[in-house]
């Protein structure tokens, strides 16, 4: 609900300069802010719902944004972080499944992982770049207690 992917029927030579521009619906209402496009004619936009977080980051240097799907809040991450993996763990901490993400987190995928009865914990491996050096941390959501916490990246559950 924070990002929008749409078809982008424009020639490759007319794409530059669109970033930061509004994504409008047929009624002329702003739905998002254009962030980029692919050579396969897909456009990516941040939903207007993210504007308060962008303004906070502009004024304070950072902001945290909640990860929410179907009314479930899995925790919050820094605006400059991205989720690179979701690791699904059973009650004993054993890895059941891992999804590698490529700049996208579809709600349908997140809910599918959440609804797996074998999964107790969802571990969101987060990455940020600071001065060209990636740093990592892990957000852990416990389905049973409906709580979240941060933990270091263990060697047992490497990237």
């Amino acid at each position: 609900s924070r990002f929008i992917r749409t078809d982008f029927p424009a020639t490759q030579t007319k794409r530059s300069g669109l970033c930061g521009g509004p994504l409008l619906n047929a009624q002329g209402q702003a739905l998002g802010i254009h962030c980029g496009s692919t050579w396969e004619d897909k456009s990516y936009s941040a939903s207007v719902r993210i504007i308060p977080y962008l303004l906070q980051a502009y004024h304070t240097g950072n902001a945290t944004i909640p990860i929410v799907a179907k009314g479930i809040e899995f925790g919050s991450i820094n605006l400059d972080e991205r989720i690179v993996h979701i690791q699904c763990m059973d009650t004993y901490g054993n890895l059941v499944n891992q999804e590698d993400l490529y700049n996208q987190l579809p709600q349908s995928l997140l809910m599918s992982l959440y609804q797996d009865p074998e999964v107790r914990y969802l571990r969101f491996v987060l990455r940020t770049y600071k001065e060209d050096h990636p740093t990592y941390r892990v957000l852990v959501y416990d389905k049973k207690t409906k709580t979240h916490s941060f933990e270091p990246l263990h060697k047992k559950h490497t990237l």
Side-chain angles (χ1 to χ4, degrees), residues 25-81:
N25 65 11
Q27 293 76 37
Q29 300 166 319
L31 300 178
I33 303 165
H34 184 80
C35 298
S37 54
T38 68
W39 296 113
E40 294 83 27
D41 294 335
K42 296 292 178 196
S43 172
Y44 297 91
S45 300
S47 168
V48 292
R49 295 179 198 160
I50 203 167
I51 291 174
Y53 303 105
L54 296 174
L55 290 172
Q56 180 183 353
Y58 175 78
H59 290 290
T60 66
N62 198 10
T64 58
I65 185 169
I67 301 170
V68 179
K70 304 288 184 187
I72 300 166
E73 186 169 332
F74 295 91
S76 295
I77 65 173
N78 293 328
L79 196 59
D80 64 349
E81 290 177 311

Side-chain angles (χ1 to χ4, degrees):
S1 63
R2 305 268 190 244
F3 299 95
I4 304 165
R5 185 178 70 194
T6 62
D7 292 333
F8 189 68
T11 63
Q12 294 175 1
T13 58
K14 295 183 180 183
R15 299 179 330 156
S16 63
L18 295 175
C19 289
L23 174 67
L24 304 175
N25 65 11
Q27 293 76 37
Q29 300 166 319
L31 300 178
I33 303 165
H34 184 80
C35 298
S37 54
T38 68
W39 296 113
E40 294 83 27
D41 294 335
K42 296 292 178 196
S43 172
Y44 297 91
S45 300
S47 168
V48 292
R49 295 179 198 160
I50 203 167
I51 291 174
Y53 303 105
L54 296 174
L55 290 172
Q56 180 183 353
Y58 175 78
H59 290 290
T60 66
N62 198 10
T64 58
I65 185 169
I67 301 170
V68 179
K70 304 288 184 187
I72 300 166
E73 186 169 332
F74 295 91
S76 295
I77 65 173
N78 293 328
L79 196 59
D80 64 349
E81 290 177 311
R82 71 176 258 236
I83 302 168
V84 292
H85 308 292
I86 299 178
Q87 297 172 330
C88 303
M89 316 299 285
D90 66 13
T91 300
Y92 305 104
N94 297 313
L95 185 65
V96 174
N97 185 15
Q98 176 171 304
E99 291 290 334
D100 301 324
L101 304 177
Y102 300 97
N103 298 321
Q104 298 180 51
L105 176 55
Q107 283 194 20
S108 58
L109 171 63
L110 182 53
M111 291 313 297
S112 172
L113 299 174
Y114 175 80
Q115 292 168 348
D116 183 337
E118 191 176 359
V119 174
R120 161 94 187 254
Y121 304 100
L122 293 174
R123 298 178 78 250
F124 299 86
V125 179
L126 310 172
R127 180 177 72 190
T128 186
Y129 284 99
K130 294 185 180 177
E131 299 176 16
D132 295 327
H133 298 289
T135 57
Y136 296 89
R137 68 181 184 147
V138 179
L139 168 65
V140 180
Y141 179 78
D142 183 337
K143 286 175 30 177
K144 184 175 181 181
T145 63
K146 297 180 171 59
T147 59
H148 60 272
S149 61
F150 288 94
E151 67 179 35
L153 187 65
H154 298 294
K155 290 183 180 180
K156 178 180 177 182
H157 312 294
T158 60
L159 301 174

